[in-house]
Amino acid sequence: MTDPRDNIILTGFMGTGKTTVGRLLAARLGRDFVDSDDLIVARAGKPITDIFRDDGEERFRAWEADAVATLAGQRGLVIATGGRLMLDAANATALGATGPVFCLAASAGEILARVAASGVARPLLAGDDIAGRIDTLLRQRAVGYARFRPVATDGRTPAAVAEAIATALTAGLRDTLTVRHPGGQYDVVVGEGLLPEAAALSPGPAVIITDSDVGPRHAARLGPLPVLTMPAGERHKTLDTVRDLYDGLLATGLGRDGTVIGLGGGVAGDVAGFVAATYLRGVAFALCPTSLLAMVDASIGGKTGVDLPQGKNLVGAFAQPRGVLADVGTLATLPAAEFTAGLAEVAKHGLIADPLLWQRLVMEEWQIDPARLAGDRLRRADLQSLLVQAVRVKRDVVEEDPYERGRRAVLNLGHTFGHAIEQVSGYAVRHGDAVAIGLAAAARLSAALEECSPSLPHLVEMTLAHLGLPTHIPPTLDPVALFAAMSTDKKKRAGRLRFVLLHDIGNVFIRDDVPAAAVVDVLAGLGARD
Ligand SMILES: NC(=O)c1ccc[n+]([C@@H]2O[C@H](COP(=O)([O-])OP(=O)(O)OC[C@H]3O[C@@H](n4cnc5c(N)ncnc54)[C@H](O)[C@@H]3O)[C@@H](O)[C@H]2O)c1
Ligand SMILES: [Zn+2]
């Protein structure tokens, strides 16, 4: 439940019903309602159309900033904002710090119908081809609005929209994405304060499997459950660790009706899932991912497993969790370098299927100090919306191809190079960092094979650098050894090199006949910093 001192802020395009919904919501919650445009009209002493006509848009934006300063100083309000107000970074920071922000969404057709029906003059929509103008403006603003919690309004009454917002507030502003698989379905829940709900995912006894970095920080929040702790780090993603965990589970007496709860990053999750898939021929498991990477990637899709000395993830099983709880609050203890590494998989998801997600990575600032998340509500909300976007990409791909017989292989974008870098470095290079270099390599290879524009590699590398990610192979790694490691990667088929390549951002494909010489060239080019 939201703190009654928080403001509740509504944004969105004109005609999405911010004012009507805001009034209803305020009445429903017993709060005062303020419309930023009303405040401006009262202060300026004239209607908004007159401000635009007499003083220009710039002066109107100054009035908006003025209104924001006032409203940010108040508490417990429902605030409807002008359609562009929250797209201004300073306004968003000031108001977003005072409470949750909802973005009312509607299709261009519905907006046109509502604006026409209202009969109110809209300065931004003067002139011909209003439908076209709306469409263009919606596209331009899509990236800016994406950070706020969306509320669909098409085909819903304002009362129903207000009710949906009230329900979201009561439920603690969490996002739920359902993942369907051949054996059923499970929910991925993204939100704050979720860890205490993990035990409820298990109908019978439960045991937590975690690692030595995460367990001491977060396991207690799941309640009084037995905890088995593996040493942290990719080096321990091994069969030896698995054997120790079997011993531990037997010692706790966990039976076939039991549930393993994997708590931690991708390593703890992959290991816990594999242990659950094989212990007593398989027990149920749930995942509580605590790294950015595990939240957007490793915890979704049912791949579990461990590494062998010969390579990454060479032993494993497909096994679906009972549920996934991504508690954004746990990220506050994640080391900054691990946070950045996780952004590589977010970027990968943007490159695979979501140009809007990619745009957010380009346009917003993601070099975040996780330790400061606890005190920064807007950042946490931004992050949650980014996580949801990235999870959706993975969800859609794994639903289409749960056992990686076809399309799912696109999720390996950057991973053939990445796995080789991890392995040859003796896992000194983090998975996410290796994937970032792999994404740069995949873009270069795509350009070399004339599958994408020659400018794409530069764009990809600039964005990865903007995220704080590496784009070049560390000089200590021998290109010959890297090429050899790639040739034994399990994604190789019938002696030919198989790569996921890019046509464009959001448009990837698989090519089975990549010439070795092109790969060797890319490795050479990425080793030499230019
Ligand atoms: N199963 C899949 O589909 C899939 C997909 C992507 C990646 N993976 C696997 O995931 C692994 C990488 O995951 P990762 O990057 O999370 O590595 P990780 O699990 O090793 O976590 C990185 C480090 O951060 C620590 N950590 C995690 N969360 C923390 C928190 N909230 N506070 C403090 N410390 C925390 C961990 O203990 C570890 O030391 C790789 O083994 C990769 O193969 C699997
Ligand atoms: Zn990965």
Side-chain angles (χ1 to χ4, degrees), residues 172-175 189-194 325-329 384 387:
L173 301 172
R174 53 184 60 186
D175 293 281
V189 186
V190 185
E192 296 187 18
L194 301 177
L325 297 177
D327 186 334
V328 184
Q384 184 169 327
L387 291 174

Side-chain angles (χ1 to χ4, degrees), residues 396-442:
D396 291 350
V397 175
V398 300
E399 276 191 346
E400 194 182 316
D401 180 15
Y403 298 116
E404 197 170 316
R405 300 209 170 104
R407 174 77 186 160
R408 181 165 177 169
V410 298
L411 292 172
N412 293 319
L413 179 67
H415 279 60
T416 307
F417 287 103
H419 283 166
I421 292 166
E422 279 187 273
Q423 199 188 328
V424 172
S425 77
Y427 299 105
V429 178
R430 281 185 189 83
H431 180 74
D433 291 339
V435 168
I437 301 166
L439 293 175

